[in-house]
Amino acid sequence: APPPDRALASSRPMKALLDLLRDLMLFKRGPQDLPYSPAILAAACVFAFVVDTAVARQFQLADNVAARIAFSLAATLALPWLALKLADREARFAQTATALVATGAVFTLLMLPVLIGVGKMPEDPKQVTGTQALLALVSFAIVVWQLGVRGHILRHALDVPLRRGVLIAVVFYAVELVVAALVFGGGSRA
């Protein structure tokens, strides 16, 4: 028998991971379905940092882009760690954090066409085009979806009902925005 194709063999774990990520975003699987792997968490953090930084710089979304994104990433790791610690479920951190960071990067990529379509928003609200207004609604829907996915991940990690997981996700998001505003004088990434 011929030796297995190494490229094909190495792509299977990546495909399985991407399938898990897709299922997380569609509320079909939870973070417990991800492999426990600090290496995958580290890779997800690097990937998220690179994607978020590239998008933010491309669209000049904020000053101090790298610092803001590093702060956002730190909040994405610290807040769930604190919640898991308080719930005595620290062993779930790697999978929970991987799920949150990886889905966050995917949502940044999903927001990319919206940002391209919106372009530069005019200063005067009366000059906003219909397309820009529609894309602003799409952007809002993506943020709501992201909060739902974060809530879904947190509900599994903390063993709470979905509505409580979403509430925790909203609180985490608000804390991140408020602290980022205090530190940087503005918001953080979505």
Side-chain angles (χ1 to χ4, degrees), residues 19-109:
D19 288 346
L20 275 167
L21 192 57
R22 177 203 60 217
D23 290 348
L24 267 170
M25 295 187 61
L26 296 174
F27 305 92
K28 293 180 178 181
R29 313 261 309 260
Q32 68 277 7
D33 296 315
L34 288 168
Y36 173 86
S37 173
I40 292 175
L41 172 56
C45 288
V46 169
F47 179 72
F49 183 82
V50 169
V51 167
D52 289 351
T53 302
V55 170
R57 283 195 174 141
Q58 178 65 33
F59 293 98
Q60 301 172 347
L61 297 178
D63 296 328
N64 305 320
V65 169
R68 286 176 181 262
I69 293 184
F71 170 82
S72 180
L73 191 55
T76 301
L77 297 172
L79 293 171
W81 177 85
L82 180 62
L84 289 165
K85 176 90 172 145
L86 292 172
D88 198 29
R89 290 175 169 74
E90 303 101 306
R92 299 178 179 185
F93 174 72
Q95 291 160 296
T96 302
T98 300
L100 291 168
V101 170
T103 58
V106 172
F107 278 108
T108 297
L109 293 172

Side-chain angles (χ1 to χ4, degrees), residues 77-170:
L77 297 172
L79 293 171
W81 177 85
L82 180 62
L84 289 165
K85 176 90 172 145
L86 292 172
D88 198 29
R89 290 175 169 74
E90 303 101 306
R92 299 178 179 185
F93 174 72
Q95 291 160 296
T96 302
T98 300
L100 291 168
V101 170
T103 58
V106 172
F107 278 108
T108 297
L109 293 172
L110 288 174
M111 194 66 83
L112 189 56
V114 174
L115 292 170
I116 291 169
V118 167
K120 181 151 176 68
M121 287 294 275
E123 300 265 339
D124 182 4
K126 293 177 185 175
Q127 294 178 339
V128 172
T129 67
T131 301
Q132 289 174 319
L134 177 63
L135 289 173
L137 288 174
V138 171
S139 173
F140 177 74
I142 290 172
V143 170
V144 169
W145 180 20
Q146 183 175 15
L147 287 171
V149 169
R150 286 180 181 181
H152 171 72
I153 292 166
L154 292 168
R155 84 159 169 178
H156 283 284
L158 297 167
D159 290 326
V160 297
L162 178 60
R163 67 180 169 271
R164 189 172 301 160
V166 171
L167 177 62
I168 293 167
V170 169

